[in-house]
Amino acid sequence: MRFAPNPNGPPTLGSTRGIVVNSEYVKKYGGKFIIRFDDTDPVTKRPMLEAYDWYLEDCKWLDAEPDEVVMASDRLPIYYEYAETLIKGGHAYVCTCTQAEFKQLKDAKQACPHRDTAPEEHLREWGRMLAGEYEERTVVLRIKTDIKHKDPALRDWGAFRVVKTPHPRPEVGNKYVVWPLLDFEGAIEDHLLGMTHIIRGKDLMDSERRQKYVYDYLGWTYPRTSHWGRVKMHDFGKFSTSGLREAIESGEYSGWDDPRLPTLRALRRRGIRPDALRKFFIDMGVGETDVSLSLDNLYAENRKLIDADANRYFFVWEPVKLEISGAESTVVKPSMHPTVDRGVREIAVEQSVMVCSQDIRGAKPGDLFRLKDLYNIRITGEGTAEFAGHDIETIKKGGGRIIHWSPVDGIPVKVLTPDGEVEGIGEAGIAAEVDKVVQFERYGYVRIDGADGGVVGYFTHK
RNA sequence: GCUCCGGUAGUGUAGUCCGGCCAAUCAUUCUGGCCUUUCGAGCCAGUGACUCGGGUUCAAAUCCCGGCCGGAGCACCA
């Protein structure tokens, strides 16, 4: 099995499906998992040097460490060799039609003038291509299929073109001016790497039919294939790698791990666990149906994994101060977790606390509230309340609400969410949870990213 | 325009190849209940689907034909 990305950006939720599903088959049935970088386009989908490592990192994180890593840009001489074989056999030809000319002929099921000249001539022209004697977009090597094929997508397709922009990898640089297109590179590699099965997007369905011509000419057997449909994520808008890159460069996003992005780096930073992602994609299966999915399932899986480990804390957003009269100073000790015994936290309270403004908005004097783990209060005015006893039962019977709160000397906390930033105040203990996922009660799970100069958290999910 | 795929509850999925055991699986969402000093977790219950029309058959989600809807390919992108 293989996963064959173009490293022109970091792995996203979409790539994850390829990584997880392919690697899962290997785990289940044996065989090798190979990651092959299809980095044969130095211009339109120019690879990013950092992204090679990002893919490897993320694969490892996803428990999908490849048995082998191949970079297509290292292997151009191999592709040239097979191209030559095909030319000699009369199965490929050098075509100097313009794109528009060829399209017109192809749509009319007509061969172009170059198609039927002698292989020796094409071999000579191929040599000139490799020598750099042709400019970009003036020449292409085509694979002969059936120019009258009823499906226009299968008629004589391009296998190599001229690109004079240097490749971003320094070890490749400007070594080559003739680059293979995906259908050719992939066809050769899948055979050479001993691929028995291919699972990929259904946008590549016609690739199989095109590549089969090459396999037939070379006497090879095509791997077994299956395809999955288009994936739309309604939690994220439409995005493309190049579009994201622009938005990041313009400062719209903070980087490739901005919590608003569907990249794996962002999800990791938000505290999504790799096993949740694996389960999510394995459960999704490999149907050819187009899916429009919501991340609820992923979040639900993740919640099951993190809940037992997530310590509870109070975090108050849109904080407002509430003065409480008649209460004694005290230190409360709420537990870290409601069902798992992991000790307690200590919070000192004098005559005031911070609460969420939305909780007391509209409250009238006389309304009863329970400050969770502390005591009952009765509202007496705008921003003021009075102590109303310790007995939880009165709240349960009287129907007052239980709300959370924060000490007035708490620490500032900023949470980065897919919908923007939320600022507030929280317990001091949060600062000790860096790199862990905690649950802010009545808010959601948050991964604490840093605590220097105020706590910054990445919102995981509710 | 030509060609190729697909269509099971709000969402994803099992079942479709080899018709009956499918008044249709699982997960999630939503609703309600229990429990609980979280609007969290756990437990319980409920709502909710075979795209439509025809055909074959004793019997169709499953096979055939047509319509409708959705997606993809027809690049010197991957």
Side-chain angles (χ1 to χ4, degrees), chain A residues 54 70 113 122 127 137 181 231 279 291 297 335 354 365 375 400:
Chain A
W54 290 347
V70 174
H122 288 303
R137 302 196 167 261
L181 275 331
V231 178
K279 185 155 197 317
V291 297
N297 282 266
S335 61
M354 307 299 284
Y375 42 59

Side-chain angles (χ1 to χ4, degrees), chain A residues 209-449:
Chain A
R209 289 190 273 255
R210 281 192 284 261
Q211 293 176 330
K212 270 188 170 147
Y213 283 92
V214 171
Y215 275 65
D216 286 344
Y217 295 146
L218 265 13
W220 297 344
T221 308
Y222 204 84
R224 302 257 312 172
T225 53
S226 49
H227 300 90
W228 53 58
R230 274 297 254 213
V231 178
K232 268 187 216 150
M233 230 90 59
H234 44 238
D235 302 68
F236 297 103
K238 278 191 183 141
F239 61 88
S240 67
T241 307
S242 52
L244 290 184
R245 189 194 296 219
E246 272 173 41
I248 288 168
E249 280 162 6
S250 75
E252 191 184 327
Y253 296 114
S254 61
W256 289 107
D257 54 3
D258 188 291
R260 287 166 292 182
L261 297 183
T263 60
L264 225 36
R265 337 186 55 69
L267 293 172
R268 177 162 59 208
R269 198 158 192 189
R270 284 173 53 190
I272 302 291
R273 300 259 288 245
D275 19 356
L277 280 162
R278 283 195 79 96
K279 185 155 197 317
F280 178 66
F281 281 109
I282 289 166
D283 285 352
M284 194 181 338
V286 288
E288 283 186 22
T289 323
D290 298 321
V291 297
S292 139
L293 56 95
S294 135
L295 258 18
D296 284 339
N297 282 266
L298 173 64
Y299 292 157
E301 287 306 331
N302 201 59
R303 188 153 41 227
K304 287 177 201 160
L305 295 171
I306 61 175
D307 183 70
D309 293 335
N311 285 333
R312 267 52 174 178
Y313 289 100
F314 290 143
F315 160 67
V316 172
W317 56 99
E318 285 182 54
V320 291
K321 194 171 185 179
L322 203 54
E323 301 284 354
I324 302 162
S325 55
E328 286 176 18
S329 297
T330 179
V331 175
V332 288
K333 298 181 178 173
S335 61
M336 284 290 198
H337 194 279
T339 53
V340 182
D341 183 19
R342 244 203 317 277
V344 296
R345 44 208 223 261
E346 299 189 0
I347 314 169
V349 183
E350 304 288 330
Q351 270 71 41
S352 57
V353 296
M354 307 299 284
V355 295
C356 288
S357 61
Q358 69 177 64
D359 280 333
I360 57 165
R361 185 176 302 141
K364 294 178 289 293
D367 284 354
L368 211 54
F369 285 92
R370 171 73 178 191
L371 295 176
K372 188 170 184 285
D373 298 314
L374 188 57
Y375 42 59
N376 306 335
I377 55 167
R378 185 176 293 109
I379 299 295
T380 53
E382 188 76 18
T384 57
E386 63 180 2
F387 175 73
H390 283 99
D391 185 18
I392 182 73
E393 296 303 322
T394 58
I395 292 292
K396 287 187 178 171
K397 288 185 198 122
R401 296 178 56 209
I402 297 170
I403 63 174
H404 71 292
W405 50 277
S406 155
V408 288
D409 59 351
I411 56 174
V413 174
K414 184 158 83 176
V415 181
L416 273 35
T417 83
D419 304 316
E421 293 184 10
V422 176
E423 295 192 55
I425 183 167
E427 292 175 48
I430 297 167
E433 297 275 3
V434 173
D435 210 31
K436 293 193 179 123
V437 175
V438 300
Q439 190 200 59
F440 288 160
E441 299 200 30
R442 301 181 64 227
Y443 181 72
Y445 297 90
V446 172
R447 183 180 151 278
I448 305 304
D449 194 68

Side-chain angles (χ1 to χ4, degrees), chain A residues 193-209:
Chain A
L193 296 173
M195 225 47 65
T196 54
H197 299 261
I198 299 173
I199 308 179
R200 60 186 166 197
K202 73 176 184 184
D203 47 321
L204 265 12
M205 263 177 159
D206 287 335
S207 275
E208 173 171 350
R209 289 190 273 255

Side-chain angles (χ1 to χ4, degrees), chain A residues 5-151:
Chain A
N6 174 14
N8 62 339
T12 61
L13 230 25
S15 338
T16 309
R17 188 177 193 184
I19 296 169
V20 168
V21 170
N22 281 288
S23 70
E24 182 67 15
Y25 273 97
V26 171
K27 280 181 199 299
K28 219 166 179 162
Y29 302 109
K32 274 187 177 179
F33 176 56
I34 298 177
I35 173 161
R36 181 181 84 221
F37 290 108
D38 283 346
D39 55 349
T40 54
D41 179 6
V43 180
T44 321
K45 292 194 174 169
R46 187 175 175 80
M48 266 174 85
L49 274 185
E50 314 90 300
Y52 290 86
D53 288 333
W54 290 347
Y55 269 99
L56 264 19
E57 257 172 52
D58 287 345
C59 281
K60 192 172 178 178
W61 181 66
L62 283 169
D63 192 24
E65 210 162 351
D67 297 298
E68 201 175 327
V69 177
V70 174
M71 298 187 203
S73 55
D74 276 337
R75 293 159 64 93
L76 284 260
I78 298 173
Y79 311 141
Y80 291 166
E81 209 178 294
Y82 285 103
E84 205 177 307
T85 306
L86 290 169
I87 296 170
K88 281 180 185 159
H91 303 306
Y93 60 98
V94 175
C95 171
T96 52
C97 294
T98 65
Q99 223 169 320
E101 281 165 1
F102 185 82
K103 181 175 169 45
Q104 207 167 28
L105 289 168
K106 182 200 70 182
D107 287 345
K109 299 187 180 180
Q110 284 173 13
C112 88
H114 318 98
R115 191 176 201 261
D116 293 314
T117 47
E120 297 75 49
E121 199 168 313
H122 288 303
L123 211 51
R124 208 161 45 239
E125 291 298 305
W126 171 245
R128 292 184 58 206
M129 271 176 82
L130 293 178
E133 292 178 32
Y134 280 105
E135 290 310 308
E136 292 186 15
R137 302 196 167 261
T138 58
V139 68
V140 58
L141 184 79
R142 286 187 190 287
I143 301 298
K144 267 191 213 175
T145 61
D146 174 0
I147 200 67
K148 294 189 186 340
H149 199 288
K150 64 175 179 167
D151 185 348

